[in-house]
């Protein structure tokens, strides 16, 4: 996927990340797109808001998309590298492409996904980095809990 096309998919995930932060949650957003570019589902990390440790952004977007006959051709867009939980979801359902807003704050399962043949596009987006950097500095305990290091 070309960078310009990937970048055009990021605004929905960023909007979700901002909404999560405004709700007092972790600013990670995601969106799942069909092969034709149609938005299937969107979501944000809601671990804090829902008191549910499994409600990561990618999981929320996947759930919002509803049941699909196949995930071939879909693209998961996320503001931050997917954790192992969300990387497993991508692998389990055969999502072939992941667009990542930033991979500096957290690497997660990015290399594992790439090694399994998932196309990875890292945008190195400044707003995604800034959102996460500010959150991690202000909430180190909650961040550690989110990535399983708390």
């Amino acid at each position: 996927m070309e960078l310009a096309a990937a970048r055009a998919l990021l605004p929905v995930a960023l909007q979700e990340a901002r909404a999560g932060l405004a709700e007092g949650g972790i600013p990670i957003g995601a969106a799942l797109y069909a092969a034709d570019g149609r938005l299937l589902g969107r979501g944000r990390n809601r671990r804090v808001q829902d008191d549910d440790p499994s409600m990561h952004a990618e999981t929320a977007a996947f759930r919002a998309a509803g049941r699909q006959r196949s995930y071939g051709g879909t693209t998961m867009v996320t503001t931050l590298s997917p954790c192992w939980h969300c990387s497993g979801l991508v692998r389990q359902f055969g999502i072939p492409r992941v667009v990542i807003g930033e991979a500096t704050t957290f690497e997660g399962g990015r290399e594992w996904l790439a090694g399994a043949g998932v196309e990875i596009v890292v945008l190195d987006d400044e707003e995604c980095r800034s959102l996460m950097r500010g959150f991690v500095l202000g909430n180190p305990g909650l961040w550690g809990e989110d990535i399983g290091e708390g």
Side-chain angles (χ1 to χ4, degrees):
M1 173 176 263
E2 292 185 22
L3 279 178
R7 191 164 294 286
L9 300 176
L10 186 61
V12 172
L14 260 170
Q15 186 178 46
E16 289 292 327
R18 288 186 216 109
L21 183 61
E23 295 169 351
I26 300 164
I28 304 169
L32 183 64
Y33 289 90
D36 64 5
R38 186 172 32 93
L39 178 64
L40 296 172
R42 59 191 293 162
R44 57 187 165 273
N45 185 305
R46 296 192 52 84
R47 293 181 70 253
V48 173
Q49 300 93 312
D50 294 353
D51 196 28
D52 179 350
S54 70
M55 190 46 77
H56 290 203
E58 298 88 344
T59 304
F62 181 78
R63 287 178 179 174
R67 184 172 153 238
Q68 305 293 313
R69 287 183 56 117
S70 168
Y71 294 89
T74 61
T75 300
M76 178 67 77
V77 180
T78 181
T79 57
L80 184 68
S81 290
C83 70
W84 292 105
H85 167 75
C86 297
S87 294
L89 181 144
V90 167
R91 291 277 308 272
Q92 173 73 31
F93 291 95
I95 296 170
R97 180 181 306 112
V98 178
V99 173
I100 299 169
E102 74 104 339
T104 305
T105 305
F106 181 71
E107 188 171 317
R110 178 172 57 101
E111 293 299 324
W112 180 68
L113 289 171
V118 175
E119 180 185 354
I120 302 293
V121 180
V122 179
L123 299 175
D124 196 28
D125 183 80
E126 177 55 38
E127 184 176 357
C128 290
R129 258 194 332 273
S130 178
L131 273 170
M132 286 311 303
R133 191 174 345 167
F135 180 81
V136 171
L137 287 172
N139 304 278
L142 185 54
W143 173 241
E145 177 188 319
D146 190 61
I147 61 172
E149 296 177 1

